[in-house]
Amino acid sequence: QVQLRESGGGSVQSGGSLRLSCTASGYTYSTYCKGWFRQAPGKEREAVAAMDGDGRTTYAGSVKGRFVISRDYYRDILYLQMNRLKPEDTAMYYCVTWGKLTAIQALDSVPNSWGQGTQVAVSS
């Protein structure tokens, strides 16, 4: 069974940057689509970004142009570089996997594995 662990969350002022990382224990195939979800207080979880096994990416409209998802396939680490952060980006961020989906398919699909989450707080 895959276990995902996020790190890199924290508190930052509006306009700042953070980089989240996600490591996996247990075997994950390089062809798996991986990505990030977030959940703000009192809101539904929402997909943020996905990257499939071919390196294609997709982003939620609210973060496009500010966030960048990347992967170290060799070390099996997933990253989310978050730039120009806004208070509305405050949320718990979860690393997820979808299996063998494309990035575009993934954002409309329910992930099959979730990490425990890392908190991001952006102050104005």
Side-chain angles (χ1 to χ4, degrees), residues 7-55:
S7 62
S11 298
V12 65
Q13 288 192 323
S14 181
S17 298
L18 284 173
R19 188 176 80 157
L20 305 183
S21 300
C22 173
T23 57
S25 60
Y27 191 77
T28 58
Y29 294 94
S30 61
T31 52
Y32 278 7
C33 187
K34 295 184 175 181
W36 298 90
F37 262 66
R38 69 184 180 186
Q39 186 169 21
K43 295 190 176 180
E44 300 272 330
R45 284 182 177 178
E46 64 170 341
V48 175
M51 188 171 193
D52 62 28
D54 292 325

Side-chain angles (χ1 to χ4, degrees), residues 15-93:
S17 298
L18 284 173
R19 188 176 80 157
L20 305 183
S21 300
C22 173
T23 57
S25 60
Y27 191 77
T28 58
Y29 294 94
S30 61
T31 52
Y32 278 7
C33 187
K34 295 184 175 181
W36 298 90
F37 262 66
R38 69 184 180 186
Q39 186 169 21
K43 295 190 176 180
E44 300 272 330
R45 284 182 177 178
E46 64 170 341
V48 175
M51 188 171 193
D52 62 28
D54 292 325
R56 292 170 294 203
T57 61
T58 190
Y59 298 90
S62 58
V63 307
K64 198 169 186 178
R66 300 187 297 121
F67 290 11
V68 178
I69 188 171
S70 61
R71 287 168 76 162
D72 180 331
Y73 287 93
Y74 181 73
R75 295 192 296 166
D76 198 13
I77 301 175
L78 182 72
Y79 300 101
L80 184 68
Q81 178 67 42
M82 305 186 294
N83 301 317
R84 303 199 309 275
L85 282 159
K86 304 175 181 180
E88 50 264 44
D89 295 317
T90 294
M92 186 72 80
Y93 283 72

